[in-house]
Amino acid sequence: MSTTASVGTASAEGGGGGDVAPPSATASADTPMTGADGVPEGTSPDKPASPPGAVATTTAASTGKDAASAATFLFASESVTESHPDKLCDVISDAIVDACLTLDPASRIACETVCKTGVVIVLGEITTSASINYEQVIRDAVRDAGYDDPAKGLDYKTCNVIVALEEQSPDIAQSVDAAKVEDIGAGDSCIVFGYACEETPEFMPLSHVLATKLSARLAEVRKDGTLDWIRPDGKTQVTLEYANNESGVPVPKRVHSIVISAQHSEEVSNDKIAADLMEHVVKPVVPSQYLDESTLYHMNPSGRFVIGGPHSDAGLTGRKSNVDTYGGWGSYGGGALSGKDATKTDRSGAYAARWVAKSLVANGYCARCKVQLSYAIGLSHPMSVYICTYGTCTNKNGMAERDLVKMV
């Protein structure tokens, strides 16, 4: 099983109803952002609230619809391909996690990666009984990400690999390790968030799901040869027009705009790039009912994206937090989700919070849900549990919002 960094999935199989088994540190996850308490100013956690940024309501000029602009708001989510420099670093860090846990499930791992032109640096703390050829693991991950030529921004065969790993601090180890799994302490103090909503079968925001699927499609058409001009690096952004229903729940109405930036070979024309991306990326992913004559499309708006990957931008583990979580919805605790074993609760705790939020929505206790958990280093149970249903608690089985906290 490969380790993935996201807290939720962007496929239908990630959203089954009913209780969902909590994912392990080698499963997947997702997350969002708002203010310190995750609730826009002037609102209460117990009352319906538009997502952060909703005050920047669209105007008639931006939508062409006076009435719609007064009653709706725009919200955008972005994603990146698996080979974007930051995401490449996530992939490398998690490849090392997988290699260690495969041979020694008790490994303790905190692994960061940075990459730039011709170089990949891995640093952190790892305690394991496994014998790992870290350089080979790193080169294999770079190869699988599609970087096999300096012209693409990095070459797995010739890049310089620097490994600077030490053992985990014994001070941390003595506070975490325990004879029983249930007694293992948190590897660090942190706060984490989980989020879920009814917008999609995955119980994820539609803006986030569409952006994520578009980025995944960019990688797919590169790997299967559908678009021979496409290179590994890429980014997507989807802006949706939402309207709150009578219960105050944001409901997606239409796609306002789609932005795709795809790294490409030297010889391909901008017209072909735009046509190919529309035909082979946008159309297979975005449901036609959300597209209309006013939807805006920006395909490679910079006009040129030949230089990409680590050659264009340095990459760093954990720098695509909203991509890994909820596309800007809900809240985000601040810790990276990649390069860590399950004792690092800013990763495993984020997965658990997502599992709780998803289970509450899937079982009909609310239409939207945000869960916050806090952890203290060395302690095996959360310090606090907070649940916000944005005023959508259904009181199923007589359970009000405060009762959901007790149930959790």
Side-chain angles (χ1 to χ4, degrees):
M1 177 186 296
S2 64
T3 306
T4 58
S6 60
V7 296
T9 59
S11 63
E13 69 177 357
D19 288 330
V20 185
S24 66
T26 55
S28 64
D30 336 28
T31 340
M33 291 188 72
T34 58
D37 60 355
V39 180
E41 292 185 6
T43 65
S44 163
D46 300 321
K47 296 180 180 180
S50 298
V55 291
T57 312
T58 181
T59 64
S62 64
T63 65
K65 300 177 181 179
D66 292 338
S69 67
T72 64
F73 61 89
L74 301 181
F75 195 89
S77 296
E78 71 171 9
S79 187
V80 296
T81 65
E82 63 190 26
S83 306
H84 179 280
D86 292 330
K87 189 50 61 178
L88 172 64
C89 290
D90 289 344
V91 169
I92 293 172
S93 292
D94 278 336
I96 290 175
V97 173
D98 283 344
C100 292
L101 293 179
T102 297
L103 298 178
D104 177 14
S107 297
R108 298 290 182 258
I109 310 152
C111 178
E112 313 289 343
T113 301
V114 61
C115 65
K116 187 49 186 166
T117 309
V119 63
V120 177
I121 304 171
V122 172
L123 60 164
E125 300 78 42
I126 297 180
T127 299
T128 181
S129 63
S131 177
I132 306 294
N133 183 339
Y134 292 111
E135 180 177 345
Q136 190 61 53
V137 171
I138 294 166
R139 292 190 187 279
D140 288 348
V142 174
R143 177 200 63 203
D144 294 346
Y147 288 111
D148 54 8
D149 189 324
K152 296 179 181 180
L154 195 65
D155 186 347
Y156 78 95
K157 301 183 295 293
T158 61
C159 66
N160 187 21
V161 174
I162 300 174
V163 178
L165 296 171
E166 300 177 2
E167 288 195 347
Q168 182 186 59
S169 164
D171 290 352
I172 296 176
Q174 62 85 28
S175 70
V176 172
D177 295 336
K180 298 180 179 179
V181 172
E182 58 268 26
D183 293 331
I184 292 177
D188 201 355
S189 299
C190 64
I191 58 171
V192 297
F193 290 90
Y195 180 81
C197 61
E198 293 182 328
E199 287 181 37
T200 62
E202 301 90 340
F203 299 101
M204 295 292 284
L206 182 61
S207 60
H208 173 65
V209 168
L210 292 180
T212 301
K213 287 185 175 182
L214 286 172
S215 288
R217 180 64 180 167
L218 283 178
E220 184 179 350
V221 296
R222 172 179 62 84
K223 291 178 177 179
D224 66 15
T226 298
L227 301 181
D228 59 5
W229 53 262
I230 203 166
R231 287 180 172 175
D233 198 358
K235 177 178 281 191
T236 63
Q237 183 183 105
V238 177
T239 301
L240 291 187
E241 186 174 343
Y242 282 85
N244 288 335
N245 66 14
E246 63 280 358
S247 300
V249 178
V251 178
K253 296 299 183 182
R254 56 182 291 274
V255 172
H256 169 272
S257 57
I258 296 174
V259 180
I260 298 179
S261 295
Q263 186 188 9
H264 58 86
S265 59
E266 182 77 47
E267 65 279 358
V268 65
S269 69
N270 287 333
D271 288 342
K272 179 170 175 56
I273 289 173
D276 282 351
L277 291 179
M278 281 294 300
E279 183 65 28
H280 298 289
V281 179
V282 175
K283 288 183 179 180
V285 169
V286 183
S288 59
Q289 68 264 31
Y290 292 111
L291 304 174
D292 57 34
E293 68 281 358
S294 298
T295 300
L296 304 175
Y297 302 92
H298 297 286
M299 305 290 107
N300 272 28
S302 69
R304 180 177 172 84
F305 190 5
V306 175
I307 299 173
H311 187 189
S312 175
D313 297 287
L316 182 66
T317 297
R319 203 157 54 183
K320 285 293 174 282
S321 306
N322 279 340
V323 172
D324 290 340
T325 55
Y326 311 104
W329 296 84
S331 299
Y332 165 61
L337 297 179
S338 290
K340 300 172 180 179
D341 69 274
T343 65
K344 311 303 187 290
T345 44
D346 44 2
R347 180 177 198 168
S348 55
Y351 296 170
R354 160 63 179 171
W355 168 63
V356 171
K358 180 178 176 181
S359 295
L360 291 175
V361 174
N363 283 282
Y365 288 97
C366 51
R368 295 176 70 198
C369 185
K370 177 173 67 179
V371 176
Q372 185 205 56
L373 305 175
S374 67
Y375 292 91
I377 187 169
L379 303 184
S380 59
H381 298 286
M383 295 295 94
S384 64
V385 177
Y386 166 77
I387 293 178
C388 173
T389 64
Y390 302 90
T392 68
C393 184
T394 62
N395 295 310
K396 180 180 178 180
N397 298 330
M399 301 190 73
E401 190 172 278
R402 62 181 177 274
D403 299 314
L404 298 181
V405 174
K406 297 177 182 178
M407 180 172 68
V408 170

